[in-house]
Amino acid sequence: MVLPAKDVGLQEAARLLREGRLVAFPTETVYGLGGLASHPESVHAIFAAKGRPATDPLILHLPEPDLFKAETEGWVAGPIPEPARLLAEAFWPGPLTLILRRGPKTLKDMTAGLDTVAVRCPAHPVARKLLQLVGAPLAAPSANRFGRISPTDAEAVRQELEGKIPLVLDGGPCGIGLESTVVNLISSPPEILRPGAITREQITQAIGQTPAIRSDAKPKERAQTSPGQLASHYAPTTSLYLCDAPIRRAAPDTFHILFRKDCTERIDPGYTLESGKNLESAARELYRALRSADASGQKKILVEPVPDGSWAEAIRDRLTRASSGTASWDGAAWKIMLRSAA
Ligand code: TXA
Ligand code: MG
């Protein structure tokens, strides 16, 4: 069932969650699939509904932007590193996830057996209201089936999880459209595991040191030390290739994703993402473009190079993970090169 995220829907959602059932709800990044973090059956049901392997840990969503409360209540273990305090102060509630030591209250099944836990306090008013009504943290991954594109509106959630969960709260399209920035605070300096709306520059400014970037590490090493950061992820079902040059005309059997200053420029079938002053609107629409590509029934997706801008790192990260390889223009056609499974 889909209900608008108004009073009745919120009350029903809180009731279901307190009973141990699952509810999909909007956050400022993407829609989440929530369950009570303290309830083992809810946590197991999340993995089952998503078809997510038990080795891939979930994010703990806090009702309050208060790390020290989370420590006192036993969700995270102290001492809380100073950079974590600074980041929470600067960006919570908001699209930033911190990896900290797991406290005794956080279930090991939620963290895939790790001694660390991912925590964030979302900023979306519906998410905050829901967390406050429930009065306890929720475990909430993105509300998609495993390995697929995160949903950025209620209809996309319905398509992903229809029949598997009792309720989707519809709070309209997500404002950011890409998952939160994930920062590991166990390592020193802190390390960005997943780029997002909170940029490297913003993090540097808040903590007074430059964070390391995990995507510089080799894919194999990455998968071992950070589950869920697999090279292939967030993928449409249609094969996607990253072009080495702008797309000038339609290619056969292809869905064309363009980055243009003027969105009236388009190549059909395709989707033009706006790359005006910054890439904020392109980030917001990226997953919608990938869903349209799947729905178009074309054999492949070609994506133009992502122009520079403050959101470029996060967009390139998601597109690289969604891609099967690259495409280079040989003067007459696009030559496809499959990515080697490193
Ligand atoms: O924006 C978001 O973060 C959304 C909304 C719903 O809050 N949630 C989300 O959750 O994207 P999910 O489960 O799809 O992605 C969580 C990411 C995964 O890449 C996971 O591996 C990583 O966080 N993660 C979780 N716990 C971790 C841990 N203890 N150590 C390292 N990475 C962790
Ligand atoms: Mg996800």
Side-chain angles (χ1 to χ4, degrees), residues 29 32 52 56-57 59 61 116 118 120 141-142 179-180 194 227-229:
T29 56
R52 177 161 172 150
D56 199 353
I59 297 178
H61 290 63
T116 55
R120 95 173 182 99
S142 50
E179 306 81 356
S180 60
R194 179 172 74 181
Q229 302 297 316

Side-chain angles (χ1 to χ4, degrees), residues 192-193 195 213-218 222 313 317:
I192 299 179
L193 300 180
I213 308 275
R214 174 55 61 97
S215 50
D216 296 343
K218 296 193 179 65
R222 198 158 60 197
E313 195 173 355
D317 170 79

Side-chain angles (χ1 to χ4, degrees), residues 27 29-33 50 52 56-59 61 97 99 111 114 116-118 120 140-144 150 178-180 182 193-194 225-229 234:
T27 83
T29 56
V30 299
Y31 272 70
L33 174 59
K50 279 183 64 97
R52 177 161 172 150
D56 199 353
L58 309 178
I59 297 178
H61 290 63
T97 296
I99 309 291
T111 67
L114 297 174
T116 55
V117 58
R120 95 173 182 99
S142 50
N144 52 282
S150 298
L178 295 180
E179 306 81 356
S180 60
V182 179
L193 300 180
R194 179 172 74 181
T225 52
S226 179
Q229 302 297 316
Y234 311 99

Side-chain angles (χ1 to χ4, degrees), residues 130-159:
L130 181 62
L131 281 157
Q132 275 155 13
L133 281 175
V134 174
L138 296 176
S142 50
N144 52 282
R145 279 171 288 140
F146 179 67
R148 305 249 316 129
I149 306 159
S150 298
T152 53
D153 58 40
E155 173 55 20
V157 178
R158 198 189 57 73
Q159 285 170 17

Side-chain angles (χ1 to χ4, degrees), residues 270-283:
Y271 203 111
T272 301
L273 295 165
E274 192 198 313
S275 63
K277 273 201 299 293
N278 59 38
L279 291 163
E280 193 176 338
S281 119

Side-chain angles (χ1 to χ4, degrees), residues 1 157-158 160-166:
M1 179 169 49
V157 178
R158 198 189 57 73
E160 287 287 313
L161 297 174
E162 174 127 74
K164 298 204 153 118
I165 58 171

Side-chain angles (χ1 to χ4, degrees), residues 3-92:
L3 286 178
K6 300 264 167 55
D7 278 353
V8 174
L10 277 161
Q11 294 294 346
E12 175 65 2
R15 188 188 68 77
L16 286 165
L17 286 164
R18 281 193 295 256
E19 269 181 11
R21 314 281 303 276
L22 306 186
V23 173
F25 62 96
T27 83
E28 70 278 25
T29 56
V30 299
Y31 272 70
L33 174 59
L36 266 193
S38 56
H39 194 59
E41 285 77 13
S42 302
V43 169
H44 297 158
I46 292 175
F47 283 96
K50 279 183 64 97
R52 177 161 172 150
T55 49
D56 199 353
L58 309 178
I59 297 178
L60 186 74
H61 290 63
L62 303 173
E64 301 293 334
D66 188 342
L67 260 186
F68 292 95
K69 186 164 184 232
E71 183 194 347
T72 314
E73 291 180 351
W75 298 102
V76 304
I80 290 172
E82 179 65 1
R85 185 184 69 77
L86 292 168
L87 288 173
E89 231 162 56
F91 302 115
W92 278 6

